[in-house]
Amino acid sequence: MLLSPGPAATSDRVKQALLRGDWCHREKEFSALQAAIRTDLTRVLEVEQTHETILVTGSGTAAMEMAVIGSVRAGRSLLAVRNGVYGDRIAQIAEVHGIRVHSICGSWTHPVDPEAVRAALRAHPDIDAVACVQHETTTGLINPVDCVGEIARSSGALYIVDAISATAIEQVGHDMLAANVICGTANKGIHGVPGISFVLADSSAISRFREAPPRSVYLSAAAYLDAQRRGTVLYTPAIQVCFALHAAIEELSETGGVQARTAQYRRRADLVRSGFSRLGLSILIDAANRSNSVTTLRIPGGLSYERLHDELRAGGFVIYAGQGDLSTSCFRVATMGDLSLATLDRFIERLGDVLRRYS
Ligand SMILES: *Cc1c(COP(=O)(O)O)cnc(C)c1O
């Protein structure tokens, strides 16, 4: 059982969908499937009034790269809000493409300060877009994306949210709508398989994509959007991954949509965290700022990450290492994907056994 923050466990229905057969992306069947995914996705994520889907074959980083390079006009800059690996990646993407970057670098264990965003926007009038990660999967930290969005939009900058590990997991509504560009992936909270990601763009974002200079052949948001509006596709998509994505969207919709899915993630987080506290484990992030899906825990003395990982894996559970400076002191548990509460109970039991054996 995978307790990693993507790839996340998938249902039998999603796995079966992969076997629908060999399709050609130039035929009308694929065109209909793509159209269905594009509309069903915004509907299930409750942004259909404001946002349009651009699908891209590639992992979540592909969607982020498409969004970032399509959102900054020539001679302007990006403000990257950074308090973890994924915020750093946003800045890296811009730099590689020769886009000037201003950064707000905050602590990995605290939400970003929206006032720092306001100050940066005042200090640098060349900022054309602000990008922020909703759920920093690095640590399991939630950023105040709605406050940052209000400030970004009041300055006239385009607002990009990396919601890749937040869509269908964290509360939606106000904060989602504050973003002109929302990036997500088929896997993680949507419970499809990895290989397709998406950019949800509102009308301001779409205008901007047309104004930004071409920076990539493969990751041009404007070109993808035009092709997908016509019912076509530019390059060979991950067709079978689209089958699975559509099945996952249907499943999400039939099981009560994002409200029910988010509540389910909340229950899972409560279950594992009360288990962690019974076992005396300490959580890196303060309770008020924790996501619904990732918990970073300090590794107790006397135990290495490798030993903990291997003992849990022998019991059927795959945990995830800490990132960067946290790789030796912490481990991560993600309750993402098609998991039952009973599975999580068994995980806590097994974790307890391992801790007792090595303490
Ligand atoms: C998973 C993730 C990504 C994308 O990672 P890929 O490996 O490219 O799918 C980006 N941002 C966040 C916050 C993520 O959790």
Side-chain angles (χ1 to χ4, degrees):
M1 199 37 91
L2 299 181
L3 299 176
S4 51
T10 54
S11 68
D12 287 340
R13 174 173 172 182
V14 167
K15 287 188 201 55
Q16 285 302 323
L18 289 166
L19 305 176
R20 222 172 271 168
D22 300 321
W23 285 23
C24 175
H25 59 288
R26 302 288 173 208
E27 296 295 321
K28 62 180 189 308
E29 290 82 4
F30 182 77
S31 181
L33 174 67
Q34 178 174 259
I37 292 174
R38 292 182 70 234
T39 52
D40 293 352
L41 189 58
T42 51
R43 191 178 317 122
V44 82
L45 294 178
E46 301 178 0
V47 294
E48 78 271 30
Q49 300 298 332
T50 46
H51 289 68
E52 188 168 344
T53 307
I54 304 172
L55 292 171
V56 56
T57 287
S59 76
T61 304
M64 281 307 297
E65 189 150 358
M66 174 181 273
V68 166
I69 68 178
S71 297
V72 183
R73 286 169 291 193
R76 310 290 298 269
S77 71
L78 175 85
L79 179 63
V81 181
R82 304 161 60 171
N83 57 348
V85 166
Y86 296 98
D88 291 349
R89 188 175 298 172
I90 291 171
Q92 187 193 2
I93 288 169
E95 276 161 10
V96 162
H97 288 276
I99 297 169
R100 193 173 335 119
V101 184
H102 302 286
S103 290
I104 293 170
C105 296
S107 147
W108 275 20
T109 51
H110 290 90
V112 299
D113 175 10
E115 289 311 312
V117 175
R118 195 190 305 279
L121 284 163
R122 286 212 181 110
H124 308 289
D126 65 331
I127 293 172
D128 218 14
V130 175
C132 184
V133 178
Q134 183 175 3
H135 166 213
E136 249 308 346
T137 322
T138 311
T139 52
L141 176 77
I142 291 292
N143 275 320
V145 280
D146 44 358
C147 303
V148 172
E150 262 174 51
I151 293 167
R153 296 189 75 159
S154 70
S155 81
L158 201 76
Y159 185 43
I160 305 166
V161 171
D162 172 348
I164 291 170
S165 60
T167 38
I169 298 176
E170 304 302 331
Q171 212 61 50
V172 286
H174 183 66
D175 42 358
M176 283 288 255
L177 294 172
N180 304 108
V181 184
I182 301 162
C183 293
T185 183
N187 192 227
K188 304 203 181 177
I190 312 257
H191 301 183
V193 302
I196 291 271
S197 53
F198 52 85
V199 173
L200 308 179
D202 73 0
S203 56
S204 310
I206 291 169
S207 312
R208 178 64 60 82
F209 293 161
R210 302 196 188 290
E211 291 174 88
R215 293 186 166 105
S216 164
V217 174
Y218 190 73
L219 294 173
S220 163
Y224 272 58
L225 179 66
D226 290 342
Q228 292 179 18
R229 280 180 170 177
R230 286 195 308 269
T232 59
V233 62
L234 289 176
Y235 313 113
T236 313
I239 294 166
Q240 285 74 16
V241 176
C242 290
F243 297 158
L245 173 57
H246 197 236
I249 293 169
E250 282 177 340
E251 206 167 64
L252 172 56
S253 176
E254 289 163 18
T255 51
V258 282
Q259 302 303 331
R261 176 75 51 95
T262 305
Q264 182 190 45
Y265 270 98
R266 189 70 254 152
R267 280 195 296 278
R268 292 173 178 184
D270 290 344
L271 183 152
V272 292
R273 286 171 193 163
S274 66
F276 297 146
S277 118
R278 277 199 310 281
L279 297 175
L281 288 167
S282 110
I283 299 178
L284 184 71
I285 301 297
D286 289 344
N289 305 323
R290 289 174 196 159
S291 75
N292 285 346
S293 62
V294 172
T295 309
T296 302
L297 298 134
R298 295 189 178 84
I299 301 172
L303 205 56
S304 67
Y305 174 73
E306 287 70 26
R307 167 128 311 146
L308 183 62
H309 171 273
D310 293 353
E311 291 282 346
L312 288 169
R313 197 184 151 123
F317 299 100
V318 177
I319 58 164
Y320 215 55
Q323 247 164 334
D325 292 346
L326 303 174
S327 65
T328 52
S329 58
C330 290
F331 67 104
R332 285 180 291 173
V333 172
T335 46
M336 238 179 233
D338 191 64
L339 293 170
S340 69
L341 294 177
T343 301
L344 297 178
D345 274 328
R346 278 192 288 114
F347 166 69
I348 294 294
E349 214 173 289
R350 174 81 190 185
L351 179 61
D353 290 344
V354 175
L355 294 178
R356 274 186 292 277
R357 215 159 341 122
Y358 290 95
S359 62

